[in-house]
């Protein structure tokens, strides 16, 4: 005897359980697969040239210096966003001695073409004799975010 597409023997042998588990898993996975697909489409549908933007890093002696620099950087259109990361410990050699200091890290998102102006601003406004200003090109990212970064920071 058959019930739909399964016979009585198949129902009794566990095929029904396999079919039900497969249907249940497929139903649960659908929202996840939809989200992943939409994100992949979003990233593929916008174009970005690798290295157009950079993430720059600057260490500061305290939070007040970090906030002052961050505000000046964003107000001066040298970056779209500056994250202030508190309570880092830096170990480095300075004037022949190993030093260890508590510092605050700035993570700065900007156009690569603005890194030189950014470094000049930091050198002119930072209390350190030799301020750390390093940058790395951004290879990939969320296209709407990268577009926003480019819109906020002029060429």
């Amino acid at each position: 005897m058959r019930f739909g597409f399964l016979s009585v023997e198949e129902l009794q042998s566990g095929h029904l359980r396999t079919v039900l588990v497969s249907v249940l898993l497929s139903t649960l996975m659908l929202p996840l697969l939809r989200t992943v697909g939409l994100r992949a489409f979003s990233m593929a549908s916008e174009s970005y040239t690798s290295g157009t933007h950079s993430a720059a890093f600057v260490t500061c002696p305290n939070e007040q210096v970090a906030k002052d620099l961050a505000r000046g950087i964003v107000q001066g259109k040298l970056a779209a966003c500056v994250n202030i990361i508190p309570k880092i410990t830096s170990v480095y050699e300075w004037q022949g001695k190993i030093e260890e200091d508590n510092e605050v890290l700035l993570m700065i998102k900007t156009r690569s073409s603005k890194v030189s102006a950014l470094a000049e601003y930091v050198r002119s406004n930072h209390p350190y004799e030799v301020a750390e200003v390093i940058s790395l090109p951004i290879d990939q990212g969320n296209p709407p975010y990268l577009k926003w970064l480019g819109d906020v920071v002029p060429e």
Side-chain angles (χ1 to χ4, degrees):
M1 181 183 292
R2 296 189 73 70
F3 293 98
F5 58 88
L6 297 174
S7 69
V8 172
E9 294 81 26
E10 290 171 323
L11 289 173
Q12 291 173 344
S13 67
H15 287 292
L16 178 60
R17 186 173 3 148
T18 303
V19 168
L20 289 176
V21 168
S22 296
V23 168
L24 180 63
L25 285 176
S26 297
T27 303
L28 293 174
M29 292 296 291
L30 186 61
L32 175 66
L33 292 173
R34 182 179 182 278
T35 300
V36 170
L38 286 173
R39 286 186 182 166
F41 176 76
S42 172
M43 291 184 80
S45 64
E46 306 253 352
S47 64
Y48 173 73
T49 303
S50 177
T52 301
H53 301 106
S54 288
F57 301 91
V58 173
T59 51
C60 300
N62 57 56
E63 198 163 327
Q64 189 58 55
V65 169
K67 286 180 179 180
D68 291 345
L69 283 172
R71 189 167 301 285
I73 288 166
V74 173
Q75 284 176 344
K77 298 287 187 184
L78 295 172
C81 177
V82 178
N83 300 114
I84 299 173
I85 305 166
K87 299 182 183 177
I88 66 166
T89 300
S90 296
V91 178
Y92 57 96
E93 182 178 325
W94 181 248
Q95 298 178 342
K97 294 189 319 190
I98 302 300
E99 303 284 344
E100 183 174 314
D101 287 312
N102 293 321
E103 293 185 297
V104 177
L105 179 66
L106 301 181
M107 184 172 65
I108 304 163
K109 279 75 73 179
T110 188
R111 286 184 179 272
S112 296
S113 62
K114 292 289 188 179
V115 171
S116 293
L118 171 68
E120 181 57 38
Y121 177 84
V122 171
R123 282 193 302 270
S124 298
N125 293 281
H126 201 290
Y128 287 170
E129 184 179 333
V130 178
E132 173 185 2
V133 182
I134 59 173
S135 71
L136 300 167
I138 296 173
D139 183 43
Q140 297 179 50
N142 180 19
Y145 180 85
L146 296 173
K147 180 184 181 322
W148 167 78
L149 197 163
D151 290 345
V152 171
V153 181
E155 297 250 9

